[in-house]
């Protein structure tokens, strides 16, 4: 019966262009994912999926637009761990409540960060960093892309689990971090592998660990942080959501088509080389992921003694 229902919707939806809100800037990982995946979905369904970039307020501007859109399936949005699981706990007045205002469609990628140091430092491993930082609290500077953002919380989790104290410095984007780390003005940082890869290869940065709980095929010789800090796990993720009242049949259809798109070899290869893992899961899985991650970050914000902004 479900198959017949989905088949009927496949014949009638979409009948016009679908707007895909990307609550990030052009060229951001979430933007690239939205474009690559929805192009394939649009080709399959015979309609255009047009990406509309609406960055700002840690993704809240774009997602607020999506939450208020007509729930007919013609506006969907890219979301990610920061906007759907962290923001509700780091902002005093978040502009939406993820599991109330959205219908999760499909999680499309999970990611990890890399921990890097300036090559002039003596650190050859995470154990070296932790040993030094414990003996010299607040002597190392640690850069992230924003205050109370994902990378900042990655450092806070390291502090909660090991007791190390670093001086956090918030930047606006990775370009300035790269410049200051290479010049030695910043000691350590965490960001996506793609942001740092050229500088790691050139020797201007030294990569010590990844934040995935296990090693990954793309970087088999790089230890997982959990090998030094048991239980450390800071993975980002990306997925599509729709306004909460979108008909279930449309959500089911989009889930199937998005999972099909991410299984295509050309899509999968491109994303894996960017340091992303590609799951293929149900809407129920994505809903549970948001719930679990939200609880995780609520606890971390409390344990770290952070004040929402």
């Amino acid at each position: 019966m479900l198959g017949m229902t989905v088949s009927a919707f496949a014949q009638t939806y979409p009948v016009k262009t679908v707007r895909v809100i990307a609550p990030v800037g052009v060229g951001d990982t979430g933007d690239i994912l939205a474009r690559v995946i929805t192009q394939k979905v649009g080709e399959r369904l015979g309609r255009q999926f047009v990406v509309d970039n609406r960055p700002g307020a840690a993704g809240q501007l774009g997602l607020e637009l999506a939450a208020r859109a007509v729930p007919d399936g013609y506006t969907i949005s890219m979301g990610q761990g920061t906007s759907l699981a962290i923001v509700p706990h780091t902002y005093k007045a978040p502009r939406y409540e993820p599991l109330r205002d959205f219908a999760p469609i499909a999680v499309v990628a999970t990611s990890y960060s890399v921990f890097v140091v300036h090559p002039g430092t003596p650190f050859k491993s995470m154990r070296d960093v932790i040993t030094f930082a414990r003996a010299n609290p607040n002597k190392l500077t640690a850069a992230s892309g924003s205050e109370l953002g994902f990378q900042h919380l990655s450092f806070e989790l390291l502090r909660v689990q090991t007791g190390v104290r670093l001086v956090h410095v918030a930047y606006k984007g990775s370009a300035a971090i790269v410049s200051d780390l290479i010049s030695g003005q910043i000691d350590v940082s965490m960001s996506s592998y793609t942001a740092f890869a050229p500088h790691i290869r050139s020797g201007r940065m030294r990569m010590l660990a990844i934040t995935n709980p296990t090693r990954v095929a793309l970087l088999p010789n790089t230890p997982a942080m959990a090998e030094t800090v048991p239980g450390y796990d800071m993975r980002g993720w990306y997925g599509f959501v729709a306004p909460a009242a979108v008909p279930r049949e449309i959500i089911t259809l989009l889930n199937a088509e998005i999972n099909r798109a991410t299984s295509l070899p050309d899509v999968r290869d491109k994303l894996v080389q960017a340091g992303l893992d590609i799951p293929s899961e149900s809407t129920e899985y994505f809903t549970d992921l948001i719930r679990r991650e939200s609880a995780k970050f609520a606890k971390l914000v409390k344990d770290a003694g952070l004040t929402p902004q």
Side-chain angles (χ1 to χ4, degrees):
M1 183 66 179
L2 177 61
M4 293 178 62
T5 303
V6 173
S7 177
F9 265 81
Q11 295 173 25
T12 59
Y13 169 87
V15 296
K16 61 181 181 179
T17 297
V18 177
R19 178 192 190 192
V20 183
I21 295 175
V24 294
V26 175
D28 185 278
T29 300
D31 170 67
I32 294 169
L33 283 167
R35 293 177 187 278
V36 169
I37 293 168
T38 60
Q39 179 184 349
K40 297 294 186 179
V41 173
E43 291 171 358
R44 167 88 165 176
L45 296 180
R47 297 290 173 181
Q48 278 194 310
F49 281 63
V50 177
V51 174
D52 180 7
N53 293 88
R54 297 298 183 102
Q60 291 185 86
L61 296 185
L63 281 168
E64 184 181 24
L65 281 176
R68 294 180 178 180
V70 176
D72 56 5
Y74 290 96
T75 296
I76 63 175
S77 179
M78 172 62 70
Q80 62 189 90
T82 297
S83 52
L84 294 173
I86 293 177
V87 159
H89 309 296
T90 55
Y91 278 74
K92 294 178 181 177
R95 305 184 185 201
Y96 48 78
E97 204 292 304
L99 292 179
R100 180 195 68 200
D101 296 333
F102 297 109
I105 300 172
V107 57
V108 296
T110 60
S111 64
Y112 51 86
S113 300
V114 295
F115 187 103
V116 298
V117 300
H118 182 268
T121 67
F123 310 127
K124 300 296 192 296
S125 69
M126 281 307 304
R127 190 170 303 282
D128 291 343
V129 174
I130 292 169
T131 299
F132 179 89
R134 281 175 172 163
N136 301 274
N138 296 321
K139 289 294 179 67
L140 294 179
T141 49
S144 81
S146 64
E147 189 73 24
L148 297 179
F150 181 79
Q151 308 304 346
H152 181 189
L153 293 187
S154 297
F155 283 117
E156 291 296 333
L157 181 61
L158 185 64
R159 176 171 69 85
V160 167
Q161 293 188 330
T162 67
V164 301
R165 292 190 174 277
L166 310 175
V167 178
H168 176 248
V169 183
Y171 285 73
K172 293 183 178 179
S174 61
I177 294 175
V178 167
S179 176
D180 282 2
L181 187 66
I182 289 173
S183 67
Q185 296 183 60
I186 291 293
D187 298 308
V188 307
S189 185
M190 281 193 264
S191 191
S192 68
Y193 176 63
T194 51
F196 289 160
H199 314 291
I200 293 169
R201 288 194 290 264
S202 71
R204 292 183 293 178
M205 293 181 185
R206 183 183 299 138
M207 179 170 58
L208 301 185
I210 61 171
T211 62
N212 203 60
T214 59
R215 298 194 186 200
V216 296
L218 184 64
L219 303 168
N221 297 320
T222 303
M225 187 84 76
E227 293 177 36
T228 305
V229 185
Y232 189 96
D233 180 2
M234 280 295 281
R235 283 172 288 179
W237 44 266
Y238 302 83
F240 290 98
V241 297
V246 168
R248 179 66 185 180
E249 293 86 353
I250 293 179
I251 299 296
T252 301
L253 173 64
L254 288 173
N255 174 269
E257 292 300 332
I258 289 168
N259 284 338
R260 176 188 174 278
T262 57
S263 72
L264 297 173
D266 59 330
V267 174
R268 182 170 289 272
D269 290 348
K270 182 182 297 185
L271 300 185
V272 168
Q273 288 303 311
L276 300 171
D277 184 46
I278 316 302
S280 182
E281 300 286 355
S282 66
T283 58
E284 291 78 15
Y285 174 90
F286 190 18
T287 300
D288 185 59
L289 175 66
I290 295 172
R291 185 177 293 113
R292 286 186 284 109
E293 289 283 282
S294 182
K296 168 184 173 178
F297 286 111
K299 182 177 185 302
L300 177 56
V301 168
K302 180 180 178 181
D303 290 348
L306 302 175
T307 302
Q309 57 191 3

